[in-house]
Amino acid sequence: MADHSTQNFTFVVVGGGIAGVTCVEQLSSEFPAADVALITAASHIKAVANFKQVSRTLEEFDVEERPSSVLQEKFPNVTVIQSAVRSLRADEHTLQTEDGRTVGYEKLCICSGARPKLLTQDQPYVLGVRDTDSVQEFQKRLSSAKRIVVVGNGGIALELVFEVGGCEVVWAVKDKAIGNTFFDAGAAQFLIPSLEARRPAREAVCKRARYTTEEGGDRRRPGSGATDAGSALGPDWHEGFLLRGAEEPSQGVRVEYECEVQEILTSSDLLRPLAPPESDYGSWPVYVQLTNGKTVGCDFVVSATGVVPNTDAFLQGNNFALAEDGGLRVDDHMMTSAPDVYAAGDVCSACWEPRPLWQQMRLWTQARQMGWFAGRCMAANAQTQPIELDFCFELFSHVTKFFNYKVVILGKFNAQGLGTEHELLVRCTKGQEYVKVVLRGGKMVGAVLIGETDLEETFENLILNQMDLTPYKDELLNPNIDIEDYFD
């Protein structure tokens, strides 16, 4: 029988992803005596490991899955409640969990992340890849697959098409170039050859500590959707998963540009007279009709079309202000419109006036920064101390890896919001590096660095200093000049 008495805590954080765990760690270290609760639906949390401050704003870290007990061992004042949240009563400062508990808080931080925007609901041949469980399901299905269709053009789609072997991949992107969340067409051209020469099969080496959950147990509520419990994947999520299909030798990747999915049909739908003829009709379990007029048969479809903020459990009966993208609006203290309720990570939308060279993108680095800053803001508020917006929100910066290349993006890397008021400088060495600089009024406002360029710290400084580079423009990307010495 569930206990219906209220458990009260000073601070409650919802969500076991990077934002939530970082927020809990920050609160626990600032208030070692306060009662802190983490409510998470999954039995494992995501934690930051091997954190390295690369430069003033750039940071690198691994994401590890750990049992939630690790958090309680490290911080004795933390209680982990393993359950999903059913509802929030913001006026009463209480939460109801799915397993019947009532949890009271003085201050709450919602870090419930985002869920995949699936192409279609309840279609057994469409798989969203978002968390570790869905990757395991993907791996299982892939092992017998000969052809898959990947839909989407973000980070997960980019990594997926590169990592999958032994299977033909048809990649449907709605843009003129691959990866346009991160790159322009020039960078995409630089990366395309590595897609065509996809790397040989390798032994799967696992970079992160992984803990598997016992079979059975309360892994999923039936009908709850395969994405309720898991928080998002790490930046190196495919390490440790051997993503191989059934075909030998390995098949290639075919990119279908500027198209979206019009309809998903099963082989029984194809008996309808409306279906256009195709030679392999009837031999695949599922068919994807694209808006470019092509119909592709495959074993299953991977939906990697972005995410929507996971706000459902918190909205009913409360009066939250929402942003256009569906996220909880937060101010520059990470506060929502509800009293004593903060939010961080993918569930929230930054609605303060951003610094000129920062923008929100739902990425790991920002989940960590927002969770950490939300914890600091909650602590400052509890001690009635003022707090300034942190320096990490001064300049957008992100470091990751695509197609085995190191990728660093800084500032307005795709000239976001600059209209025609900018110029681009590009240097490209095939198979080695791609460097793009965005200048406005002679000052550097953004950059994309692919490969081991060693330019990130110099460029970050030039962007932060807003120095007029007009006199140096011709030399800026000259490979024979050591640019670091130039601006020392």
Side-chain angles (χ1 to χ4, degrees), residues 11 22-34 36 75 77 372-383 385 387:
F11 302 110
T22 307
C23 185
V24 164
E25 290 178 333
Q26 183 61 27
L27 287 167
S28 306
S29 49
E30 290 214 27
F31 293 101
V36 181
F75 299 105
N77 61 328
W372 172 81
F373 186 57
R376 287 192 56 212
C377 290
M378 291 164 84
N381 185 293
Q383 295 163 318
Q385 290 174 343
I387 186 167

Side-chain angles (χ1 to χ4, degrees), residues 89-344:
R89 293 189 185 138
D91 51 345
E92 295 174 17
H93 283 55
T94 60
L95 290 151
Q96 273 60 46
T97 62
E98 286 285 4
D99 62 2
R101 284 184 258 200
T102 301
V103 178
Y105 62 85
E106 286 177 30
K107 296 198 182 312
L108 167 69
C109 191
I110 299 172
C111 304
S112 51
R115 60 180 191 278
K117 250 195 302 220
L118 280 185
L119 288 162
T120 159
Q121 295 301 323
D122 308 321
Q123 161 58 271
Y125 294 108
V126 176
L127 192 63
V129 176
R130 166 75 181 166
D131 52 27
T132 322
D133 288 343
S134 59
V135 174
Q136 281 167 339
E137 173 66 19
F138 171 67
Q139 194 182 13
K140 198 170 79 193
R141 293 224 202 159
L142 185 65
S143 60
S144 59
K146 293 180 177 172
R147 185 196 291 162
I148 63 171
V149 171
V150 176
V151 184
N153 203 10
I156 284 186
L158 274 171
E159 294 180 50
L160 199 90
V161 292
F162 184 67
E163 291 294 328
V164 166
C167 175
E168 187 187 348
V169 178
V170 178
W171 185 11
V173 300
K174 66 178 191 298
D175 311 291
K176 288 187 167 122
I178 60 166
N180 88 325
T181 317
F182 297 97
F183 311 126
D184 59 3
Q189 276 317 113
F190 171 81
L191 289 170
I192 281 283
S194 19
L195 198 58
E196 285 157 3
R198 283 187 303 170
R199 51 143 195 60
R202 53 167 167 70
E203 281 304 301
V205 183
C206 190
K207 274 187 7 197
R208 309 186 226 161
R210 280 196 178 280
Y211 298 86
T212 51
T213 314
E214 291 294 313
E215 280 303 311
D218 182 24
R219 289 298 281 151
R220 279 281 129 80
R221 296 193 315 282
S224 66
T227 51
D228 278 15
S231 47
L233 292 163
D236 54 349
W237 60 271
H238 44 73
E239 304 284 350
F241 289 102
L242 200 55
L243 301 179
R244 291 205 67 71
E247 292 282 273
E248 290 298 339
S250 196
Q251 304 294 312
V253 176
R254 183 174 108 213
V255 187
E256 295 287 348
Y257 293 103
E258 294 186 82
C259 66
E260 293 183 61
V261 172
Q262 190 169 313
E263 204 176 352
I264 292 177
L265 307 163
T266 57
S267 37
S268 56
D269 295 329
L270 293 176
L271 300 173
R272 297 183 316 192
L274 299 170
E278 195 191 77
S279 57
D280 61 1
Y281 261 25
S283 58
W284 295 101
V286 66
Y287 293 82
V288 181
Q289 272 187 356
L290 299 171
T291 50
N292 64 4
K294 294 183 184 175
T295 300
V296 182
C298 60
D299 289 296
F300 64 93
V301 183
V302 180
S303 176
T305 44
V307 294
V308 280
N310 214 352
T311 55
D312 293 0
F314 307 97
L315 298 183
Q316 201 175 346
N318 299 308
N319 199 10
F320 281 108
L322 296 181
E324 279 176 24
D325 61 10
L328 299 172
R329 289 178 68 100
V330 292
D331 64 14
D332 58 0
H333 287 60
M334 307 307 292
M335 287 192 76
T336 68
S337 56
D340 299 317
V341 180
Y342 296 72

